[in-house]
């Protein structure tokens, strides 16, 4: 089977992304999480939560969980996922061992939780973008996302929050609250990394009596197309025309000002849109 040059470059890019992501994750664990006994999500959080109960070496617990989750991901998510995740499962324990001797960057639990969560989310998000996982506790969220179609970052938040609750048995409520900061920041960062490169936009529905003037303004001033819908107003029991337009966020002030000048009584519904694909957004037509 022959590989195209583009496929090989993409594979190499994914491998580098996975390696860098795992290094960042391992660094967050050794520089922030483990030295400060932060109840975080992931395998490191489970290792911290279980240590007071079973007194097992934390790095040993991490390695066992990474391998176990890798096998689960292989069975459920398939061979392609497993091949890429195999890289994570091999190098993450190595990075954990190499970085085990570094000095913690802070002894403040609040700072350790926040910065540890951000770095962990950054690393995990990079690995997710390469269609792989660290082989750790991000495998269950990926499996849940596959069957529920709920964003993986939300499942990461749920699974990690449940992981932190394990610490209630051995730690106080304050430790759990500090740990939740790590989980929230990690989930937020993962979502930000996954959405990196997406073009944010606004979807706007406009109901106006001056449809043609508004349509021309959108076309000439914003260089955007629009869609017209026949709607029926329930308040006055009359047929109206609704304009649907999707614009870049930076164009909203100009649109808002223009619509107000054309028709101060226009009714608008503005919705933030995470990503738009098509002419004018994900690609541009030639001139």
């Amino acid at each position: 089977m022959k590989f195209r040059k583009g496929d090989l470059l993409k594979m190499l890019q994914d491998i580098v992304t996975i390696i860098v992501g795992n290094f960042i994750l391992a660094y967050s664990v050794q520089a922030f999480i483990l030295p400060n006994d932060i109840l975080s999500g992931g395998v490191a959080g489970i290792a911290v939560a279980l240590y007071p109960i079973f007194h097992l070496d934390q790095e040993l617990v991490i390695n066992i969980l990474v391998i176990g989750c890798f096998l689960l991901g292989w069975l459920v998510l398939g061979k392609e996922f497993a091949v890429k995740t195999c890289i994570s499962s091999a190098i993450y324990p190595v990075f954990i061992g190499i970085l085990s001797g570094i000095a913690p960057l802070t002894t403040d639990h609040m700072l350790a939780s926040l910065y540890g969560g951000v770095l962990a989310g950054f690393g995990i998000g990079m690995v997710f973008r390469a269609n792989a996982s660290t082989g750790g506790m991000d495998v269950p969220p990926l499996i849940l996302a596959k069957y529920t179609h709920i964003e993986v970052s939300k499942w990461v938040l749920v699974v990690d929050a449940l992981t932190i609750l394990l610490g209630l048995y051995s730690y106080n409520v304050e430790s759990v609250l500090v740990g939740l900061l790590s989980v929230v920041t990690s989930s937020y960062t993962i979502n930000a990394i996954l959405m990196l490169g997406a073009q944010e936009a606004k979807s706007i529905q406009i109901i106006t009596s001056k449809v043609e003037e508004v349509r021309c303004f959108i076309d000439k001033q914003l260089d955007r197309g629009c869609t017209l819908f026949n709607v029926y107003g329930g308040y006055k029991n009359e047929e109206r025309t609704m304009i649907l337009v999707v614009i870049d966020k930076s164009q909203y002030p100009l649109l808002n000002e223009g619509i107000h000048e054309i028709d101060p009584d226009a009714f608008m519904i503005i919705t933030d849109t995470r990503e738009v694909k098509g002419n004018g957004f994900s690609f541009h037509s030639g001139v």
Side-chain angles (χ1 to χ4, degrees):
M1 182 178 179
K2 293 184 178 180
F3 289 95
R4 294 177 299 177
K5 183 178 179 181
D7 294 334
L8 292 174
L9 289 175
K10 178 64 167 62
M11 184 182 300
L12 179 61
Q13 180 183 354
D14 286 346
I15 291 174
V16 172
T17 300
I18 292 169
I19 293 174
V20 174
N22 274 276
F23 179 83
I24 293 173
L25 177 60
Y27 184 81
S28 73
V29 169
Q30 294 290 26
F32 294 104
I33 304 301
L34 292 184
N36 293 282
D37 288 331
I38 300 296
L39 288 172
S40 67
V43 293
I46 293 178
V48 171
L50 294 181
Y51 182 78
I53 303 174
F54 300 106
H55 300 288
L56 296 174
D57 180 75
Q58 292 175 331
E59 291 184 16
L60 175 64
V61 173
I62 288 174
N63 292 338
I64 291 173
L65 288 173
V66 166
I67 294 172
C69 287
F70 165 72
L71 295 176
L72 178 63
W74 191 339
L75 291 173
V76 179
L77 298 176
K79 183 186 296 184
E80 181 180 352
F81 170 86
V83 169
K84 289 184 176 180
T85 302
C86 185
I87 300 173
S88 294
S89 299
I91 63 174
Y92 179 69
V94 173
F95 285 150
I96 285 290
I98 292 174
L99 297 171
S100 61
I102 65 173
L105 295 184
T106 180
T107 56
D108 186 296
H109 285 196
M110 192 75 71
L111 290 177
S113 179
L114 289 173
Y115 283 98
V118 169
L119 277 181
F122 196 94
I124 293 171
M126 289 184 65
V127 175
F128 280 177
R129 283 183 70 96
N131 193 32
S133 86
T134 62
M137 289 304 294
D138 54 346
V139 171
L142 285 168
I143 294 174
L144 291 168
K146 175 181 178 180
Y147 291 106
T148 63
H149 305 293
I150 297 174
E151 291 179 0
V152 66
S153 60
K154 290 183 171 61
W155 279 120
V156 169
L157 178 60
V158 171
V159 172
D160 284 352
L162 292 176
T163 299
I164 287 178
L165 291 178
L166 288 174
L168 280 175
Y169 181 81
S170 305
Y171 293 84
N172 54 39
V173 175
E174 183 177 335
S175 296
V176 172
L177 294 176
V178 171
L180 287 174
L181 285 177
S182 175
V183 167
V184 172
T185 54
S186 177
S187 176
Y188 179 84
T189 307
I190 289 172
N191 190 61
I193 295 300
L194 291 177
M195 294 303 297
L196 192 64
Q199 184 171 3
E200 294 186 355
K202 285 186 178 291
S203 173
I204 302 175
Q205 301 171 37
I206 308 166
I207 298 177
T208 175
S209 59
K210 300 181 179 180
V211 175
E212 187 59 25
E213 292 93 326
V214 171
R215 188 195 66 78
C216 288
F217 172 80
I218 292 172
D219 180 38
K220 303 299 183 182
Q221 300 299 319
L222 302 178
D223 193 27
R224 294 293 182 189
C226 61
T227 303
L228 306 181
F229 295 92
N230 291 323
V231 296
Y232 193 84
Y235 181 69
K236 293 185 177 181
N237 292 319
E238 61 182 14
E239 290 187 357
R240 303 291 298 273
T241 298
M242 183 180 73
I243 302 171
L244 172 64
V245 60
V246 179
I247 60 174
D248 189 85
K249 290 185 73 173
S250 62
Q251 294 178 305
Y252 175 70
L254 179 59
L255 174 69
N256 187 48
E257 182 180 349
I259 298 298
H260 182 73
E261 289 181 359
I262 296 171
D263 182 7
D265 297 323
F267 183 81
M268 295 197 299
I269 301 174
I270 300 96
T271 306
D272 286 328
T273 304
R274 285 190 174 184
E275 186 172 5
V276 183
K277 294 186 180 296
N279 190 19
F281 288 92
S282 58
F283 62 88
H284 298 271
S285 58
V287 178

